[in-house]
């Protein structure tokens, strides 16, 4: 499994800087975990391949690039961008981002090939499949409904916290897993 953190800030020469304001991780060039810098930092191959975006929560630093990503690809999409989220995250996107005031409600629009965006709700604690990956959402402690994930393919598994401050429950769940090859702790904010 190949994991890449997309940069979100750039220096004067156009290269990635050390500052990281937006969250977006790409797995195997075909799946995005969060979409903070998705539209701005993906390469052309990734733009062609990524049609699945899994969201941990709806804070702007995790979703900012999603509307622009769909907008950039709107006319050329052969299949919809599938946005996976908890019920709360999907409702938040629908009400506050894709609401016809901030951005078009892409879930109601089509191009010549059909739908351009569809939502797929996942349940905390349940495994769901995206591409060749199995994901299990784990509730974490944050100001808004937020999940981390256990992400597995045929060869490896990683645990990903997303934004959280207290990891006790997360570690309890992770420690029950048969095999976790790596743990990625994204951020730790006090609540």
């Amino acid at each position: 499994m190949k994991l890449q953190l997309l940069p979100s800030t750039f220096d004067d020469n156009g290269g990635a800087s050390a500052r990281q304001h937006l969250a977006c991780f790409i797995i195997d060039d075909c799946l995005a975990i969060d979409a903070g810098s998705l539209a701005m930092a993906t390469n052309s191959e990734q733009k062609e391949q990524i049609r699945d975006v899994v969201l941990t929560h709806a804070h702007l630093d995790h979703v900012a690039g999603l509307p622009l990503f769909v907008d950039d690809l709107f006319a050329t999409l052969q299949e919809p961008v599938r946005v996976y989220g908890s019920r709360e995250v999907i409702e938040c996107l629908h009400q506050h981002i894709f609401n016809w005031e901030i951005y078009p409600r892409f879930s109601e629009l089509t191009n010549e090939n059909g739908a351009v965006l569809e939502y797929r709700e996942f349940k905390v604690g349940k495994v769901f499949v995206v591409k060749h990956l199995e994901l299990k959402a784990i509730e974490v402690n944050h100001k808004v409904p937020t999940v981390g994930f256990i992400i597995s393919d045929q060869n490896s598994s990683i645990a990903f916290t997303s934004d959280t401050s207290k990891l006790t429950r997360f570690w309890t769940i992770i420690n029950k897993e048969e095999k976790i090859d790596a743990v990625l702790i994204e951020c730790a904010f006090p609540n």
Side-chain angles (χ1 to χ4, degrees):
M1 183 182 330
K2 176 182 147 189
L3 179 68
Q4 175 191 7
L5 169 63
L6 289 184
S8 67
T9 58
F10 301 89
D11 61 24
D12 294 338
N13 299 318
S17 75
R19 299 186 76 162
Q20 190 67 32
H21 296 291
L22 305 172
C24 186
F25 295 85
I26 304 299
I27 299 177
D28 295 339
D29 290 325
C30 67
L31 170 71
I33 302 293
D34 289 329
S37 55
L38 184 63
M40 297 75 86
T42 44
N43 62 40
S44 59
E45 179 181 322
Q46 290 167 329
K47 280 182 177 38
E48 287 181 23
Q49 292 186 60
I50 296 170
R51 295 298 175 266
D52 297 285
V53 180
V54 179
L55 299 175
T56 60
H57 64 293
H59 277 161
L60 191 57
D61 57 322
H62 293 258
V63 302
L66 182 60
L68 301 172
F69 183 75
V70 177
D71 198 11
D72 286 348
L73 298 172
F74 185 93
T76 61
L77 286 168
Q78 301 288 316
E79 61 182 305
V81 174
R82 293 169 292 274
V83 176
Y84 297 78
S86 66
R87 180 185 48 77
E88 295 90 352
V89 168
I90 291 169
E91 286 175 1
C92 190
L93 289 175
H94 195 71
Q95 182 177 6
H96 299 293
I97 304 290
F98 298 111
N99 61 7
W100 292 113
E101 293 174 22
I102 303 298
Y103 232 80
R105 193 166 275 156
F106 285 124
S107 61
E108 297 176 2
L109 299 176
T110 60
N111 66 13
E112 65 182 25
N113 300 307
V116 295
L117 183 138
E118 66 181 43
Y119 296 112
R120 296 200 176 170
E121 183 180 334
F122 60 72
K123 302 286 185 196
V124 173
K126 302 292 183 184
V127 173
F128 62 101
V129 176
V130 182
K131 301 278 190 196
H132 60 289
L133 301 166
E134 287 187 352
L135 294 92
K136 180 178 181 181
I138 302 169
E139 185 178 8
V140 297
N141 180 34
H142 195 39
K143 295 284 186 187
V144 297
T146 305
V147 297
F149 294 103
I150 298 171
I151 305 167
S152 304
D153 66 9
Q154 296 291 328
N155 302 309
S156 58
S157 292
I158 62 171
F160 173 73
T161 64
S162 186
D163 290 351
T164 189
S165 61
K166 297 176 185 173
L167 292 170
T168 306
R169 186 161 80 183
F170 183 83
W171 286 120
T172 299
I173 292 169
I174 296 306
N175 287 332
K176 292 178 182 175
E177 292 293 313
E178 281 185 35
K179 176 185 169 190
I180 298 289
D181 297 298
V183 176
L184 175 63
I185 300 174
E186 182 183 346
C187 298
F189 294 114
N191 278 346

